[in-house]
Amino acid sequence: MDFSLPHIVTHEGSLSKSGLERYKPTVDSSPDDLEHMNGIASNAALDDQISPSFTSFSSFGESLIPRSSTISVGDLVVVYSSIEELSFTYAKHGERHSNRNGTFHHDDFIGQEFGVKVPSRSTDGFVFALRPTPELWARSLPHRTQIVHELDQSMVIFMLDLKPGCMVLESGTGSGAMSTAIARTVSPGGKVWTYEFNGDRVEKAREEFKRNGLGDIIEVTHRDVCGKREGDVGGFGDFVPDSSIDAVFLDLPEPWEAVDGVVAKIKPNGRLCSYSPCIEQSQKLCAAAEKAGFHSVQTIEVRLKEYCVDRVEVEERVECDLPFYYGNKAVSDRKTGEKRKAEEEGGGEGGGEKRTEVWTRPKQSMRGHTAFLSFATFKVGR
């Protein structure tokens, strides 16, 4: 299947997102016939299936990650101090960035490659100046609200079937972490309309998106899509055409109140996701979605268990007296001679030689519950 927008020409016999089938050549078909028929199909799709406001993507940026591998003045730089400590700065001549590792002069990394190791002029410490990605930004951004972390982000993007060219609605901009991750996925050719009821957060998010090079991809609107705020009627407004949105992401206290607005904007077979900390929120959302015509409703919870890989110094392994099993066969593996005698008399392990091995172990701590992710698909035919 061809899920790109607005391209219509696909492999022979496949269906495009417009619902028009590519012209199949016959034995008598000439190259001119083929080109003519596919041109008609493409023009019909653009005229009838896609709003004119969606057909020009020239102003939507093409990438989140800087195209240049060199750090320039004004670039967003993620400052890596340790695995648990990341921050950010915007490169500027004469500026300094300070943390517990020391003070770091911007002039020491401007003009250098992203990833460069930057020594402090005041201590023996150092940091790495990293290229920004949505994952690193989520770990370093200024928190105005609780954010959607990388693990949940990846699951949402996968389950919503997002790709370049998709049109996405989001409600609950917050700190902008999820908006940034979606924008990276749908670019080039896609767009994110994100809604936030808090005016201060709207202005800060809009400023950050513009400074980070996402102003053409993400459009921030000050609006309560649930209609709870005085003066707001709810919904997503008239500037987004009806039945034009590929996917919707809701991060709201009462997401079920926004379902009617979603129905007006989402395409047939469009996908919906709601991010809710409490299972009661998910239950109400799922019930409202089914009533509104969504199907394939499901709720999941995602956990991440990390493992550490360490180099450790160990003594030579001591063989045991007891038999062990290899398949269904018992094998006796006995140690003998001086090593056994030394262990029995000295209570030690016989003075085995030490060597370095690579061991793995689960981390002692694990991030617990973040949220329940509820997904649904909108019906075909209204």
Side-chain angles (χ1 to χ4, degrees):
M1 300 292 288
D2 171 25
F3 292 99
S4 59
L5 275 175
H7 306 294
I8 306 303
V9 177
T10 64
H11 296 295
E12 292 179 4
S14 64
L15 291 175
S16 68
K17 202 165 189 177
S18 67
L20 296 175
E21 188 171 4
R22 178 182 169 88
Y23 172 68
K24 298 178 182 178
T26 64
V27 176
D28 299 326
S29 299
S30 69
D32 290 338
D33 291 335
L34 179 63
E35 191 66 31
H36 176 66
M37 294 301 295
N38 283 327
I40 292 175
S42 179
N43 293 333
L46 292 178
D47 291 341
D48 300 334
Q49 300 295 329
I50 302 174
S51 167
S53 63
F54 282 55
T55 59
S56 176
F57 301 130
S58 59
S59 63
F60 290 179
E62 292 190 0
S63 178
L64 277 178
I65 300 174
R67 294 175 182 173
S68 173
S69 60
T70 304
I71 302 173
S72 302
V73 173
D75 282 349
L76 170 63
V77 178
V78 175
V79 180
Y80 180 98
S81 303
S82 69
I83 190 67
E84 301 295 340
E85 183 180 348
L86 287 83
S87 54
F88 73 95
T89 188
Y90 293 93
K92 184 178 180 181
H93 286 301
E95 291 290 317
R96 302 178 184 182
H97 182 84
S98 298
N99 58 30
R100 64 180 183 179
N101 289 10
T103 299
F104 303 91
H105 294 246
H106 288 204
D107 290 321
D108 290 345
F109 56 76
I110 291 176
Q112 302 293 321
E113 298 283 322
F114 278 104
V116 65
K117 182 178 179 179
V118 184
S120 171
R121 296 187 187 181
S122 59
T123 68
D124 294 332
F126 61 88
V127 296
F128 291 94
L130 302 182
R131 182 193 303 271
T133 65
E135 294 77 19
L136 292 176
W137 179 241
R139 295 177 57 187
S140 58
L141 57 73
H143 283 216
R144 296 180 287 273
T145 59
Q146 180 65 32
I147 69 169
V148 181
H149 288 279
E150 311 95 281
L151 181 64
D152 288 327
Q153 287 178 8
S154 62
M155 182 59 69
V156 170
I157 288 170
F158 174 76
M159 294 291 285
L160 290 184
D161 194 27
L162 299 184
K163 57 187 68 66
C166 282
M167 305 297 165
V168 182
L169 290 182
E170 177 196 25
S171 185
T173 310
S175 300
M178 191 68 210
S179 309
T180 301
I182 294 174
R184 189 264 303 271
T185 305
V186 303
S187 176
K191 193 170 180 68
V192 182
W193 286 267
T194 183
Y195 296 75
E196 172 62 50
F197 80 94
N198 183 286
D200 291 338
R201 292 201 287 265
V202 167
E203 293 304 319
K204 291 177 180 177
R206 187 178 288 140
E207 180 182 349
E208 281 180 359
F209 293 146
K210 183 177 180 180
R211 194 170 188 183
N212 293 346
L214 301 175
D216 292 331
I217 307 174
I218 305 175
E219 185 172 326
V220 189
T221 300
H222 183 202
R223 186 185 183 98
D224 180 5
V225 300
C226 296
K228 296 287 187 179
R229 191 182 64 171
E230 185 176 354
D232 269 339
V233 296
F236 293 90
D238 297 330
F239 53 88
V240 176
D242 290 348
S243 304
S244 62
I245 296 300
D246 297 290
V248 180
F249 177 74
L250 303 176
D251 183 2
L252 301 169
E254 299 177 332
W256 56 92
E257 298 285 356
V259 170
D260 288 342
V262 171
V263 168
K265 302 301 180 183
I266 199 168
K267 292 178 178 179
N269 284 324
R271 293 282 284 165
L272 167 67
C273 174
S274 177
Y275 178 96
S276 300
C278 301
I279 192 62
E280 292 84 2
Q281 293 170 300
S282 295
Q283 290 172 334
K284 291 184 178 181
L285 180 279
C286 291
E290 288 185 334
K291 184 177 179 180
F294 285 84
H295 61 87
S296 304
V297 181
Q298 66 174 140
T299 298
I300 64 175
E301 181 185 20
V302 187
R303 298 288 185 95
L304 177 65
K305 186 174 185 178
E306 295 185 79
Y307 275 76
C308 298
V309 180
D310 298 320
R311 292 186 179 275
V312 296
E313 194 175 67
V314 297
E315 290 191 358
E316 185 177 353
R317 294 184 179 180
V318 178
E319 299 170 347
C320 71
D321 284 327
L322 298 176
F324 66 93
Y325 286 84
Y326 182 77
N328 294 325
K329 182 180 179 182
V331 181
S332 178
D333 192 4
R334 298 177 178 275
K335 53 191 174 185
T336 58
E338 297 299 326
K339 181 178 287 188
R340 177 184 297 284
K341 184 177 180 180
E343 291 179 10
E344 292 175 350
E345 292 178 354
E349 294 186 355
E353 295 182 359
K354 291 186 176 182
R355 65 177 181 277
T356 301
E357 292 185 353
V358 177
W359 285 13
T360 60
R361 60 178 175 82
K363 291 188 71 172
Q364 293 179 338
S365 61
M366 171 180 169
R367 179 177 289 164
H369 170 74
T370 53
F372 296 103
L373 302 176
S374 298
F375 299 94
T377 302
F378 191 55
K379 65 184 179 181
V380 175
R382 293 179 180 270

